[in-house]
Amino acid sequence: MAAAVPAPRSRLIDELRRLGISDEKVLASMAKLPRHEFVSEALKTRAYDNDALPIGHAQTISQPYIVALMTQLLLQGKRLKRVLEIGTGSGYQTAVLADLVDVVFTVERIKPLSEIARKRLTEVGCRNVHFGYADGMQGWMPYAPYDGILVTAGAESVPPALLAQLDKGGRLVIPVGPQGGQVLRVIDRRITGAFKEQDVTPVSFVPLLAGKA
């Protein structure tokens, strides 16, 4: 018999359904994932609120609805083989992806965040994640191409390196635009190599920055 979902987590999943998240695999993954393990002790009581929370270094753990929406958009109901995540952050989005795809390659430019996320993901049992400490604007070329790329910070424009590393038939989900005017954009690379773009909804993310910190 499956373990009962703790009440705070169950309420969050119900809220995500009301907000339009329909992929049951995404919802099931988030229902079993302990988000409280990805925030500081002082914020654990708020871990299952549908809010972004600070994680230090001027970064945040994304709002659960946005995590669910981006994951749902990326997967389109399929199980992808190779996914690149730009911006490991707390590791929470990474853990959701790791439960739903074969292999996750995740890049973080802030070394302490990368190290903490690696420890947390090991503790929650993720074994299919490769960690990179690098400039996310450049993607992660040695492991390209990717079936999917998900970016957890807002870019002024889409980095060309990410488009180049997206496999034909693959999908990129990325927040794009200036602070205060970002939109969540889905970019599909067709079999011909051409790109098709669609803007989904306004969002607010920390900026995607070049270099390492």
Side-chain angles (χ1 to χ4, degrees), residues 65-79:
Y65 169 69
I66 293 298
V67 170
L69 177 63
M70 292 179 73
T71 306
Q72 179 172 280
L73 287 169
L74 183 74
L75 301 183
Q76 308 174 75
K78 300 179 289 188
R79 185 174 180 91

Side-chain angles (χ1 to χ4, degrees), residues 39-55:
V39 300
S40 67
E41 194 68 35
L43 293 172
K44 286 189 185 298
T45 59
R46 298 180 56 196
Y48 299 101
D49 294 346
N50 190 24
D51 294 315
L53 299 171
I55 58 171

Side-chain angles (χ1 to χ4, degrees), residues 2-193:
V5 177
R9 231 177 289 179
S10 182
R11 287 193 293 269
L12 173 61
I13 299 307
D14 288 344
E15 182 175 356
L16 297 181
R17 280 199 178 93
R18 288 195 298 271
L19 291 171
I21 302 302
S22 58
D23 189 321
E24 289 298 327
K25 290 182 180 178
V26 173
L27 292 168
S29 178
M30 294 179 69
K32 68 184 179 183
L33 187 63
R35 190 173 186 247
H36 61 272
E37 297 293 349
F38 294 85
V39 300
S40 67
E41 194 68 35
L43 293 172
K44 286 189 185 298
T45 59
R46 298 180 56 196
Y48 299 101
D49 294 346
N50 190 24
D51 294 315
L53 299 171
I55 58 171
H57 304 275
Q59 304 297 301
T60 61
I61 180 172
S62 292
Q63 177 190 9
Y65 169 69
I66 293 298
V67 170
L69 177 63
M70 292 179 73
T71 306
Q72 179 172 280
L73 287 169
L74 183 74
L75 301 183
Q76 308 174 75
K78 300 179 289 188
R79 185 174 180 91
L80 303 183
K81 292 182 178 180
R82 301 164 60 81
V83 167
L84 173 65
E85 178 193 36
I86 302 299
T88 313
S90 70
Y92 179 71
Q93 172 73 81
T94 320
V96 174
L97 289 171
D99 190 47
L100 298 168
V101 309
D102 289 355
V103 185
V104 179
F105 301 85
T106 184
V107 173
E108 174 57 58
R109 66 180 292 274
I110 301 173
K111 194 167 189 178
L113 289 182
S114 180
E115 291 172 346
I116 292 169
R118 183 192 297 259
K119 180 175 181 291
R120 284 173 172 161
L121 286 161
T122 298
E123 289 171 350
V124 300
C126 294
R127 299 286 184 269
N128 58 336
V129 179
H130 297 271
F131 297 87
Y133 167 53
D135 179 354
M137 299 273 281
Q138 302 305 315
W140 203 355
M141 187 61 197
Y143 297 101
Y146 302 98
D147 304 308
I149 301 177
L150 188 148
V151 183
T152 64
E156 289 281 340
S157 59
V158 180
L162 300 187
L163 294 174
Q165 291 172 36
L166 186 64
D167 204 358
K168 292 179 180 178
R171 170 170 281 196
L172 166 63
V173 178
I174 180 171
V176 180
Q179 290 290 299
Q182 295 173 351
V183 295
L184 188 59
R185 182 169 296 168
V186 171
I187 302 175
D188 292 307
R189 187 169 196 180
R190 294 173 169 169
I191 299 301
T192 62

